[in-house]
């Protein structure tokens, strides 16, 4: 009590309000989960699947808001500046760790301007082509690209997006530059790939599983050193003479800095329950992805992972001299 009497009333009142707010959270108001890419794409897919299960655990509604553009940085910036009452969260991917090196005028700091909630899932990527592209396999694709580089266009979801990074790695591995076309997400890019407005694209399997199964796009390689369990028929990059390629896209959830710890705890507990949910795990596996473990769906684990990823990507991007602004 002695100690309490030394704390100003305003602080006590604020603490009490926070506790009441956290106990009632989320209450009657929905939680808005901002996806910084277009609806119907891979980040959107993971976000909708995970929040459907989290909503049940939170006993409140989570609605998705798609805020695409600039490789995911517009949506992330919006969440960094949002009210920190637990009613706005961000579901992003690896771009959260590459943006600080790519954007000199980023307007937010991924480590300082967010509270971490936890990791959600890892998703592999594949290199795809329009169905009518003449090469039937990667062996034929390589000379075709070299001979037609000036006429071929590679779609992506903006600078710093997973598809952009994957495309950069691919072009540097084959020593050939292609024209690139940015979209607000790979959902609209996939529509144009199918329509033939662009020729090639790297994308997460969570976006293209249906189209691969329906045979409406041509898969060339899995952008990793081993085949993807759900798509064993697609050769791994390492089997096709591109040994250094290993792209894994991780998705995670964040809240604006200063979101009350008790709220973060509730969000993270719901996330941990969701990633262990057999329905969510099975959905991810079917799409070639892997749900995070419960330990990875925790704030400390995400903070460490994000820090490591920023440490990994910053020197690579600086050495490449690539900037988005
Ligand atoms: N797949 C996109 C990317 O390349 C993101 C998305 O549309 O969800 O980053």
């Amino acid at each position: 009590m002695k100690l309490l009497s030394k704390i100003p009333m305003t602080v006590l009142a604020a603490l009490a309000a926070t506790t009441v707010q956290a106990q009632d959270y989320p209450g009657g108001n929905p939680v808005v989960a901002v996806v910084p890419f277009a609806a119907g794409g891979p980040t959107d897919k993971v976000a909708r699947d995970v929040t459907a299960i989290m909503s049940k655990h939170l006993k409140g509604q989570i609605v998705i808001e798609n805020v695409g553009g600039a490789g995911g940085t517009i949506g992330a910036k919006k969440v960094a500046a949002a009210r920190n009452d637990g009613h706005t969260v961000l579901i992003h991917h690896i771009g959260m760790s590459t943006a600080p090196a790519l954007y000199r005028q980023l307007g937010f700091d991924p480590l300082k301007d967010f509270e971490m909630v936890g990791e959600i899932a890892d998703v592999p990527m594949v290199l795809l082509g329009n169905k009518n592209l003449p090469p039937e396999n990667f062996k034929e694709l390589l000379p075709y690209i070299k001979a037609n580089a000036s006429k071929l266009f590679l779609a992506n979801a903006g600078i710093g997006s997973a598809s952009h990074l994957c495309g950069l790695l691919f072009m540097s591995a084959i020593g050939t530059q292609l024209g690139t076309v940015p979209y607000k997400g790979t959902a609209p890019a996939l529509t144009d790939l199918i329509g033939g407005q662009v020729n090639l694209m790297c994308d997460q399997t969570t976006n293209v599983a249906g189209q691969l199964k329906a045979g409406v796009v041509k898969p060339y390689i899995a952008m990793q050193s081993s085949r993807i369990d759900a798509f064993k028929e697609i050769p791994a990059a390492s089997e096709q003479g591109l040994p250094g390629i290993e792209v894994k896209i991780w998705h995670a959830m964040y809240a604006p800095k200063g979101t009350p710890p008790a709220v973060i705890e509730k969000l993270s507990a719901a996330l941990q329950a969701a990633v262990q949910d057999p329905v969510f795990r099975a959905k991810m596996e079917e799409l070639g992805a892997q749900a995070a473990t419960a330990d990875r769906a925790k704030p400390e684990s995400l903070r460490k992972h994000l820090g490591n990823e920023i440490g990994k990507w910053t020197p690579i991007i600086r050495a490449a001299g690539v900037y988005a602004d």
Side-chain angles (χ1 to χ4, degrees), residues 5 50 79 125 199 272:
S5 65
V50 80
V79 176
M125 294 195 89
N199 314 98
Q272 287 160 48

Side-chain angles (χ1 to χ4, degrees), residues 33-56:
V34 172
V35 168
F37 295 104
T43 312
D44 185 69
K45 168 81 188 137
V46 168
R48 285 178 200 270
D49 285 350
V50 80
T51 55
I53 300 172
M54 284 180 72
S55 295
K56 287 189 213 146

